[in-house]
Amino acid sequence: MRFMELFITTPSRHAAARAALRDLHRGLGSGSDGTLVNKLAALRAADSKTGKIATFTAAIHADDIACRILQEGDIINVDVSTIYKGYFSDASRMFKMGKVSERAERIVRVTEECVKLGLEAAKPWGHLGDIADAINTHARANGYSVVEDIGGHGVGLEFHEDPFVSYVTPKGSEMLLVPGMMFTIEPMINEGSPDFFVDEDNDWTVYTMDDGLSAQIEYMVLITENGAEVLTK
């Protein structure tokens, strides 16, 4: 029973979550004031030369902006989370600032491919490890590594819920994927070592240990009888 209470959502909650996300998209795109309760926006900028990731977080109104000075050639991860009508959402995308190096172009592209393969592997009655294997295999085949200690998570009525979604576990392992589960798929792909450290001064900014490039893309998904429905397109 505890498993069901923690991880499985009901059809009525699925409908409410979809409706909230539709309202959110309309509000942001229609020119309305788009007020969002406790909206959180985090911008992670990975410098194309040093690979360092600078993370900035701010509680904002939809009309406000969280930003930093970017340079030509930077790659940036924009991570946006909302609380709307009682439901949390979570998503991020990579953006390229003007003309970027082939190194930067390639890691963003491979990260996109990893996420696509992870989505394809997310099938009802499969396992979380199936997603991890698809992502990790493709990343390693392209000479990249997958960060072990930063993964996906359940999301819905709370921002971070169980389960923790690893991207380095074997196929057929970890939790069973049951229709009704909602979680994020968000692998962090590193150019070199998967190791990282957190800035001691702010306990937030993450740096790759070897100054290599890093990229991350995040989708919030719902497991259905037919596969994985992407809720944050």
Side-chain angles (χ1 to χ4, degrees):
M1 179 61 69
R2 180 172 174 77
F3 175 85
M4 297 295 286
E5 291 174 348
L6 279 174
F7 307 126
I8 307 305
T9 58
T10 64
S12 62
R13 287 183 177 179
H14 303 164
R18 292 189 187 99
L21 288 165
R22 285 197 299 270
D23 287 347
L24 173 61
H25 296 157
R26 284 198 295 267
L28 292 176
S30 64
S32 67
D33 67 7
T35 301
L36 305 178
V37 179
N38 295 330
K39 182 175 179 181
L40 179 68
L43 275 66
R44 298 174 180 174
D47 186 278
S48 61
K49 296 180 180 178
T50 67
K52 295 181 179 179
I53 301 174
T55 305
F56 303 84
T57 304
I60 65 172
H61 181 276
D63 294 330
D64 295 331
I65 301 174
C67 64
R68 69 180 287 270
I69 297 175
L70 299 172
Q71 298 179 355
E72 179 89 8
D74 284 348
I75 55 176
I76 180 171
N77 173 275
V78 178
D79 191 324
V80 179
S81 305
T82 63
I83 308 171
Y84 193 68
K85 293 188 176 180
Y87 287 87
F88 287 74
S89 68
D90 199 7
S92 79
R93 302 291 186 270
M94 293 297 299
F95 295 91
K96 294 167 284 190
M97 300 297 102
K99 184 177 181 180
V100 302
S101 67
E102 175 57 31
R103 287 175 57 206
E105 183 83 37
R106 185 171 183 271
I107 195 170
V108 171
R109 174 177 56 79
V110 171
T111 301
E112 292 172 343
E113 294 168 354
C114 284
V115 172
K116 180 180 179 181
L117 291 169
L119 288 169
E120 293 173 355
K123 299 178 181 179
W125 313 114
H127 294 82
L128 283 173
D130 301 345
I131 301 172
D133 179 72
I135 290 171
N136 196 25
T137 298
H138 189 67
R140 290 171 62 87
N142 282 276
Y144 297 129
S145 62
V146 180
V147 174
E148 297 183 16
D149 295 328
I150 298 178
H153 54 87
V155 60
L157 294 177
E158 299 290 340
F159 182 46
H160 285 109
E161 301 177 345
D162 288 332
F164 174 77
V165 183
S166 170
Y167 304 111
V168 296
T169 50
K171 185 174 182 178
S173 68
E174 301 295 320
M175 186 174 292
L176 189 69
L177 297 176
V178 178
M181 291 176 64
M182 286 196 294
F183 56 88
T184 65
I185 295 179
E186 49 176 312
M188 182 174 286
I189 309 300
N190 283 5
E191 186 178 42
S193 167
D195 297 330
F196 65 91
F197 67 95
V198 179
D199 192 309
E200 293 182 354
D201 292 332
N202 60 31
D203 197 32
W204 181 256
T205 306
V206 175
Y207 298 90
T208 54
M209 190 69 76
D210 59 3
D211 283 344
L213 296 180
S214 183
Q216 184 180 33
I217 295 171
E218 176 182 20
Y219 285 94
M220 176 177 163
V221 301
L222 165 67
I223 298 299
T224 71
E225 294 289 350
N226 299 315
E229 176 184 347
V230 178
L231 299 176
T232 49
K233 292 183 178 179

